[in-house]
């Protein structure tokens, strides 16, 4: 997984455990695609201060993940959900009983909503 995407996901999961300033600066940099200079100007601080806040916040995010493993667990659950959906769709396509096909579609919808809750 690309480092920027990973940090963005970690900020989504653990961001509320950071200081408000760390969370906002990481969000601006990784999600809003602002440069260090733009963030510095918006916050009336230096580029170096922005960089320091980013690095400290990133370090904290990786520490939280190392200890809690929430992102890893979420990604594993997502893969399992995708596998179950594939299996259900295979069963659905190979079945001619309309009642079973309808029930499987209902289950697929439920499992898909579980997957959306992970993101």
């Amino acid at each position: 997984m690309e480092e920027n995407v990973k940090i963005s996901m970690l900020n989504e999961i653990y961001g509320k455990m950071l200081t408000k300033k760390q969370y906002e600066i990481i969000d601006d940099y990784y999600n809003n695609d602002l440069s260090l200079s733009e963030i510095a100007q918006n916050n009336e601080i230096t580029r170096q201060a922005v960089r320091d806040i980013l690095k400290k916040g990133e370090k904290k995010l990786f520490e939280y993940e190392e200890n809690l493993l929430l992102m890893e667990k979420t990604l594993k659950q997502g893969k399992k959900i995708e596998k179950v959906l594939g299996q259900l769709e295979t069963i659905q396509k190979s079945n001619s009983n309309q009642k079973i096909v309808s029930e499987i579609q209902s289950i697929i919808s439920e499992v898909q909503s579980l997957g959306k809750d992970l993101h």
Side-chain angles (χ1 to χ4, degrees):
M1 175 183 309
E2 187 180 327
E3 191 76 4
N4 289 357
V5 173
K6 189 173 189 176
I7 292 170
S8 181
M9 288 176 67
L10 290 172
N11 199 42
E12 182 69 28
I13 296 169
Y14 302 113
K16 298 301 181 193
M17 296 169 71
L18 299 173
T19 67
K20 184 178 180 193
K21 184 66 76 182
Q22 286 172 330
Y23 174 80
E24 289 172 352
I25 287 177
I26 289 172
D27 187 55
D28 280 346
Y29 188 75
Y30 289 101
N31 297 329
N32 299 328
D33 203 29
L34 296 181
S35 69
L36 296 178
S37 296
E38 290 170 318
I39 296 169
Q41 187 175 14
N42 293 345
N43 289 277
E44 298 178 350
I45 57 178
T46 65
R47 278 182 81 254
Q48 186 60 45
V50 171
R51 189 177 187 301
D52 291 346
I53 292 168
L54 270 174
K55 293 301 168 197
K56 286 178 185 174
E58 290 168 5
K59 183 179 179 196
K60 280 287 192 197
L61 292 173
F62 283 108
E63 287 173 4
Y64 293 142
E65 177 61 15
E66 185 178 314
N67 290 313
L68 301 173
L69 301 173
L70 294 177
M71 185 171 75
E72 181 181 322
K73 290 173 186 174
T74 300
L75 292 173
K76 283 181 182 178
Q77 285 177 329
K79 287 178 183 177
K80 287 178 184 178
I81 287 172
E82 289 299 316
K83 182 179 178 183
V84 168
L85 284 173
Q87 292 169 330
L88 287 169
E89 289 169 356
T90 299
I91 294 168
Q92 185 182 34
K93 289 176 185 173
S94 66
N95 204 307
S96 60
N97 183 322
Q98 191 55 39
K99 185 175 180 184
I100 292 174
V101 169
S102 178
E103 280 297 315
I104 291 173
Q105 185 55 51
S106 175
I107 294 168
I108 288 172
S109 295
E110 283 294 315
V111 172
Q112 284 174 332
S113 71
L114 288 173
K116 289 178 185 169
D117 290 343
L118 291 176
H119 303 291

